[in-house]
Amino acid sequence: MRKEFAVIGLGRFGGSICRALAEEGMEVMAIDNNEDRVNEFSMIATHAVVGDTTDESVVKSLGIRNFDHVIVAIGDNIQASILTTLILKELGVNKITVKAQNDYHEKVLRKIGADHVVHPERDMGRRIAHNIVSNNVLDYLELSEEHSIVEIVANQKLAGYSLIDLDIRAKYGINIVAIKRKNEIIVSPKADEGIQVNDILIVIGADIDINRFEKKVMS
């Protein structure tokens, strides 16, 4: 069964999520209080609705409690974001993801029950900075304030060694969860898996440990 999503707020962030979900073939209801934005998404989303989600009666009329996941992507209006999240929570929505403007906003959102809080601008900034600083890092995904998943290109220094030879988990406290090799992806590689030049190592762990691994092994 296709999952049903509702995206509230069709600015740059909410709009991009709406498009991506629609491209994945998901059922998407797009909601905004701006009629022009709603019209823009009328041919993209399954349903596009003009509505003020700070009004509980409006939210109830949309049948939003039946959706699998609601994304609150309201732009600069922190009060509207908080009030919308509170209404969704009180209506018993299964999963709520909310865009936060700052750390204080996040703190309030978590207190009122948001399941997941994202900082798209901050997270993208960190991601780009990390990629710029390290020549070996292809991609970087922040899991929390202190943990990440990174894609690291294996160089000549690692080539020919197996995972057990390198003993990365014991030495650095990180895990290689997969290896991309040309068109192949080796998920949960075995300890005797040998590393080749240009393999892409998908590493998960604490940022401080990943940085140690990058500096000592990849330099």
Side-chain angles (χ1 to χ4, degrees):
M1 286 180 63
R2 293 197 300 178
K3 285 191 173 182
E4 293 187 326
F5 295 84
V7 179
I8 300 172
L10 301 175
R12 188 168 55 180
F13 176 64
S16 65
I17 288 180
C18 191
R19 284 191 180 90
L21 289 170
E23 285 168 8
E24 292 289 331
M26 300 296 165
E27 296 267 345
V28 187
M29 177 184 279
I31 307 162
D32 200 289
N33 58 9
N34 183 307
E35 190 173 353
D36 290 337
R37 283 183 183 169
V38 171
N39 290 336
E40 184 185 337
F41 284 87
S42 61
M43 300 298 289
I44 297 168
T46 317
H47 308 284
V49 182
V50 179
D52 175 8
T53 54
T54 65
D55 183 334
E56 187 174 350
S57 62
V58 170
V59 178
K60 281 182 177 177
S61 71
L62 296 172
I64 216 159
R65 66 179 297 174
N66 300 316
F67 284 77
D68 298 295
H69 194 156
V70 179
I71 298 97
V72 181
I74 293 170
D76 297 329
N77 191 335
I78 290 178
Q79 185 176 326
S81 166
I82 291 168
L83 192 51
T84 296
T85 304
L86 194 57
I87 290 168
L88 294 172
K89 195 69 187 174
E90 287 179 347
L91 289 177
V93 171
N94 189 41
K95 191 171 184 183
I96 306 166
T97 294
V98 192
K99 172 188 173 180
Q101 296 295 323
N102 51 49
D103 291 341
Y104 173 74
H105 187 192
E106 175 178 2
K107 200 174 285 185
V108 175
L109 291 169
R110 292 199 183 280
K111 279 187 183 295
I112 61 175
D115 298 291
H116 188 52
V117 179
V118 294
H119 296 260
E121 290 87 357
R122 183 197 71 185
D123 294 347
M124 184 54 73
R126 287 185 179 178
R127 190 171 179 172
I128 291 168
H130 198 98
N131 293 4
I132 289 169
V133 168
S134 175
N135 295 327
N136 300 104
V137 172
L138 290 182
D139 205 355
Y140 165 85
L141 177 64
E142 186 179 89
L143 296 176
S144 71
E145 290 287 341
E146 297 175 354
H147 292 80
S148 303
I149 297 176
V150 298
E151 290 187 351
I152 299 175
V153 183
N155 60 13
Q156 198 70 46
K157 203 168 181 179
L158 295 180
Y161 290 99
S162 69
L163 297 181
I164 199 165
D165 291 333
L166 295 169
D167 204 12
I168 289 170
R169 187 186 298 177
K171 287 180 181 174
Y172 299 97
I174 60 177
N175 288 291
I176 295 176
V177 293
I179 298 172
K180 290 184 187 176
R181 182 173 295 150
K182 295 180 181 175
N183 296 323
E184 180 187 11
I185 297 183
I186 304 163
V187 179
S188 298
K190 293 178 181 174
D192 60 358
E193 183 68 47
I195 294 175
Q196 300 175 15
V197 174
N198 294 328
D199 276 354
I200 297 170
L201 312 178
I202 300 174
V203 177
I204 186 169
D207 294 337
I208 191 168
D209 294 327
I210 293 172
N211 290 339
R212 273 193 314 121
F213 174 65
E214 283 179 56
K215 284 175 183 173
K216 290 201 174 182
V217 180
M218 304 303 296
S219 57

